[in-house]
Amino acid sequence: MRILLLTHAFNSLTQRLFVVLQQDGHELSIEFDINDETTQEAIDLFQPDLIVAPYLKRPIPDSIWQHHICLIVHPGIVGDRGPSSLDWAILNAETSWGVTVLQANAEMDAGDIWAVVEFPMRTASKASLYRHEVSTAAVQAVQQAVVNFCTAGFQATALTQHALAARGQLRASMQQAVRQIDWQHDDTATVLRKINSGDGFPGVKDRLFGRDVFLYDAQEAFGMHGTAGEVIARSGLSLCRASKDGAVWIGHVKDKAHHHPFKLPATVLFATESQALHDVPGLDGYQEISYEQGGGVGYLYFPFYNGAMSSKQCQDLLAAYLEATQQDTRVIVLMGGTDFWSNGIHLNMIEAAKSPADESWANINAMDDLSEAIIRTTSHIVVSAMQGNAGAGGVFLARAADQVWAYKQVILNPHYKDMGNLYGSEYWTYLLPKYCGKEHAERITQARLPMGVSEAMDLGLLNAVIDGEKSYFVDAVKEKATALAQQTNIHSLLQQKTMQRERDEAVKSLANYRAEELQRMKNNFYGFDPSYHVARYNFVYKVCKSRTPLTLAGHRSRQALDLSRRAA
Ligand code: COA
């Protein structure tokens, strides 16, 4: 069946649907919802059997839903309507929530219902819930809706007739006044719920050091107390602010009036003000990197916000990694974070730097140092264990390990080119052909498409898929890593690894790979072509795309090919 994904952006949910529906044997194409005419053009070109809209910011035009079945993925329970579904669910402390697939009609979110999947809520940010529970439920619901579409005689249920309709309701777009934190009277749980309800977007409007800001990335600050509302300490990237009954760490902040009006770490945006604050060391404060050990295995966690890794974060992680290699263990597992494993260099920090070109250079070198340390490790078997997605340099950093394990729902974006033709480093020119073969390496980098775990396994980007419930991922990894550490032939595995590294080095040294990649990166950062700087600016400032890239809009690339053939 031909399915057109009509979407505001190729976000994580759209990527997952793209991967899963293709795996189910459908022909997929993507069109960004830019205006009525381009959408109509896409439909004329692709002639879809079905249109699925996973992420829209405006209603589907009448001229389209009146002539095609358009299924909207709504991140809410049956009957829930409005643009702030998840925000309300978090703020109202709902214990369960859902995704409804409904047919577009004249009234927003009120069309006939094709499928519903519910899930238990978790205490987490909106973005985290969206990436995990909502995406998983949405994929199941869309798959069900597609089966229904193919079932003769299937009748979608009118909202008023639906057995589950009583609970949901029409809710307004959530205004800042609703989320506003009353620091004198809100307890820690309420503060966290408010910040979680707006994280990653739009954040909670607040005032810090006399400036209007938006807050993100909050965690309970255990053991911290102070006068309610006061900023009482700093730790790493975070500021600690007292609530009525405790305190929270605030990791990221946006000041729209600042000359860098995008999300930045709190202690970066308030660099001067935070100097005067009491500095709580990592172990008692806000810990971005943590290590634990057991059963001959060391586990390194690095849940960097949005998976972005600044120069300093790379250096800190390298130091923690080198320390892990000094321990009496046999295996090191690089755990990343729950939401992302890594998305490569920190584009916001680069954008905010005095010289973005210099900071890009420093950041990629810091990533390379880390990647190199992992590749050169011969004392341990190193495993990358992905609970969350990885993109760009993050994928190749993971591949620097001997084994890569990923949760079954992980999506990888093993390519750099979308960032203004960025060449990429992290030793990808060594790692990708080594694990996937030269031809596949070429195809992966050119295609610029997301891939699921089965394709990544077939290609050699992954070594194992971790099945089961997401909440058991860490336990499953620990079981597998412990078994690996206890393998009787571990010494011979390490010996083989050392010999293989020596052979690879003799063919072409790591220094050569690095020098060649960095030469190309130098052109990206300092050369005449500003594409990377423009693409990074657009990414950080969230400039909407004005057309669908041809790599995604298969219907348009086929048309372009036909035209060029005719011209030739
Ligand atoms: N640096 C800074 N922020 C990053 C980032 C990076 N490398 N990668 C992702 N983010 C941020 C996004 O800006 C977004 O921020 P928000 O919280 O304000 O919404 C958030 O992480 C989630 O990213 P989003 O693009 O919405 O996630 P996605 O799952 O839809 O897409 C990627 C994932 C990896 C395809 C996409 O984020 C991406 O292309 N990232 C850039 C990768 C890159 O080019 N890195 C540099 C080269 S190594």
Side-chain angles (χ1 to χ4, degrees):
M1 199 162 85
R2 259 205 295 268
I3 303 176
L4 180 71
L5 297 178
L6 178 64
T7 187
H8 176 74
F10 199 38
N11 70 346
S12 56
L13 169 57
T14 314
Q15 292 179 23
R16 251 177 88 180
L17 282 171
F18 175 76
V19 165
V20 170
L21 293 174
Q22 256 184 344
Q23 253 167 28
D24 290 349
H26 303 294
E27 188 186 340
L28 270 282
S29 199
I30 295 150
E31 183 71 20
F32 289 170
D33 179 35
I34 288 158
N35 60 43
D36 298 4
E37 289 71 35
T38 40
T39 303
Q40 187 58 57
E41 192 179 74
I43 293 169
D44 294 343
L45 284 169
F46 189 51
Q47 300 284 318
D49 300 299
L50 181 65
I51 298 171
V52 175
Y55 171 50
L56 283 185
K57 293 205 167 177
R58 61 173 203 136
I60 293 187
D62 296 354
S63 58
I64 288 170
W65 66 257
Q66 281 168 353
H67 297 103
H68 304 270
I69 293 191
C70 302
L71 299 181
I72 310 273
V73 180
H74 177 72
I77 52 173
V78 176
D80 175 87
R81 278 167 289 156
S84 307
S85 300
L86 263 181
D87 311 47
W88 286 112
I90 294 168
L91 207 64
N92 294 340
E94 300 283 356
T95 52
S96 69
W97 201 239
V99 171
T100 307
V101 173
L102 39 86
Q103 191 168 339
N105 67 7
E107 199 182 340
M108 187 95 167
D109 300 338
D112 290 354
I113 290 157
W114 282 66
V116 182
V117 173
E118 296 206 346
F119 55 83
M121 283 286 271
R122 171 171 61 96
T123 305
S125 72
K126 177 169 69 164
S128 180
L129 285 164
Y130 186 82
R131 279 189 192 104
H132 299 294
E133 284 82 348
V134 171
S135 292
T136 301
V139 167
Q140 286 170 7
V142 169
Q143 283 179 310
Q144 184 56 55
V146 169
V147 169
N148 292 342
F149 181 80
C150 299
T151 307
F154 171 80
Q155 282 284 324
T157 314
L159 174 57
T160 47
Q161 305 293 311
H162 204 284
L164 299 172
R167 197 174 143 214
Q169 52 179 286
L170 171 65
R171 289 184 195 277
S173 168
M174 190 182 281
Q175 300 303 304
Q176 282 297 335
V178 179
R179 303 182 212 262
Q180 193 177 8
I181 298 170
D182 178 349
W183 288 99
Q184 306 305 318
H185 299 103
D186 283 349
D187 58 16
T188 300
T190 308
V191 172
L192 289 176
R193 234 185 6 259
K194 286 180 173 176
I195 299 179
N196 276 341
S197 78
D199 196 352
F201 179 82
V204 168
K205 197 168 180 198
D206 198 11
R207 276 185 80 75
L208 266 179
F209 302 108
R211 279 155 68 179
D212 283 333
V213 290
F214 290 81
L215 310 180
Y216 310 87
D217 180 23
Q219 291 176 20
E220 181 162 1
F222 293 101
M224 303 289 289
H225 292 275
T227 309
E230 266 183 28
V231 181
I232 53 176
R234 70 181 153 104
S235 180
L237 300 174
S238 288
L239 294 173
C240 184
R241 189 162 189 187
S243 67
K244 187 182 83 174
D245 63 346
V248 294
W249 292 112
I250 297 164
H252 282 74
V253 182
K254 173 158 69 183
D255 177 353
K256 288 186 182 171
H258 191 259
H259 54 285
H260 299 309
F262 43 82
K263 258 182 221 178
L264 284 171
T267 52
V268 170
L269 196 66
F270 291 106
T272 317
E273 295 84 345
S274 55
Q275 282 312 309
L277 294 166
H278 164 57
D279 184 13
V280 185
L283 272 178
D284 297 320
Y286 174 90
Q287 224 178 334
E288 275 204 304
I289 299 172
S290 59
Y291 176 81
E292 63 173 351
Q293 193 173 305
V297 185
Y299 300 90
L300 207 46
Y301 297 82
F302 43 101
F304 300 130
Y305 188 68
N306 282 339
M309 295 170 65
S310 69
S311 307
K312 166 92 168 58
Q313 284 164 322
C314 292
Q315 286 153 6
D316 290 348
L317 186 55
L318 175 59
Y321 177 76
L322 293 177
E323 209 176 312
T325 61
Q326 299 306 308
Q327 307 309 310
D328 184 18
T329 49
R330 287 287 164 267
V331 175
I332 296 173
V333 187
L334 304 170
M335 298 293 289
T338 324
D339 289 344
F340 293 101
W341 196 85
S342 167
N343 279 332
I345 55 176
H346 200 313
L347 299 169
N348 289 36
M349 289 291 282
I350 291 170
E351 193 63 37
K354 264 201 193 101
S355 161
D358 288 353
E359 185 49 36
S360 301
W361 181 252
N363 204 159
I364 200 66
N365 273 286
M367 282 290 278
D368 283 358
D369 291 345
L370 185 54
S371 206
E372 182 174 346
I374 297 169
I375 296 169
R376 287 198 190 280
T377 303
T378 48
S379 56
H380 288 72
I381 301 288
V382 187
V383 178
S384 297
M386 297 177 170
Q387 345 183 22
N389 298 348
V395 180
F396 303 109
L397 181 69
R399 195 54 278 187
D402 305 302
Q403 299 203 20
V404 188
W405 306 342
Y407 185 56
K408 62 180 174 186
Q409 282 156 353
V410 157
I411 297 287
L412 303 177
N413 274 284
H415 47 87
Y416 300 88
K417 271 193 149 188
D418 280 346
M419 198 52 67
N421 254 330
L422 194 66
Y423 185 75
S425 195
E426 289 97 4
Y427 299 91
W428 75 267
T429 53
Y430 165 56
L431 298 165
L432 202 55
K434 176 178 165 81
Y435 287 100
C436 304
K438 221 172 154 196
E439 260 173 47
H440 285 148
E442 181 75 17
R443 195 173 59 72
I444 293 168
T445 45
Q446 294 306 323
R448 312 184 192 187
L449 290 173
M451 76 174 62
V453 294
S454 351
E455 190 182 353
M457 279 291 290
D458 289 348
L459 289 172
L461 266 178
L462 290 183
N463 301 91
V465 174
I466 308 281
D467 218 329
E469 287 292 313
K470 178 86 197 291
S471 49
Y472 294 119
F473 177 85
V474 174
D475 289 343
V477 165
K478 284 186 175 175
E479 204 175 300
K480 212 169 150 56
T482 309
L484 181 59
Q486 283 162 4
Q487 252 175 251
T488 44
N489 64 345
I490 191 99
H491 289 288
S492 87
L493 286 178
L494 289 170
Q495 233 165 24
Q496 281 169 27
K497 179 179 163 174
T498 310
M499 278 154 45
Q500 183 61 48
R501 176 85 281 285
E502 282 166 4
R503 281 196 295 269
D504 288 357
E505 187 71 17
V507 175
K508 180 169 173 177
S509 71
L510 283 181
N512 270 348
Y513 282 107
R514 182 169 177 156
E516 284 172 14
E517 288 172 5
L518 287 181
Q519 188 52 47
R520 303 290 291 265
M521 289 295 255
K522 212 172 219 169
N523 288 341
N524 288 134
F525 301 155
Y526 297 101
F528 291 117
D529 178 359
S531 302
Y532 155 72
H533 296 289
V534 173
R536 189 195 61 242
Y537 176 94
N538 289 342
F539 181 82
V540 170
Y541 282 81
K542 304 199 184 301
V543 175
C544 284
K545 294 259 189 328
S546 56
R547 61 193 159 95
T548 315
L550 289 183
T551 44
L552 304 182
H555 48 285
R556 291 187 190 281
S557 50
R558 272 191 294 278
Q559 186 200 31
L561 197 67
D562 286 350
L563 285 174
S564 71
R565 275 204 193 118
R566 255 177 261 153

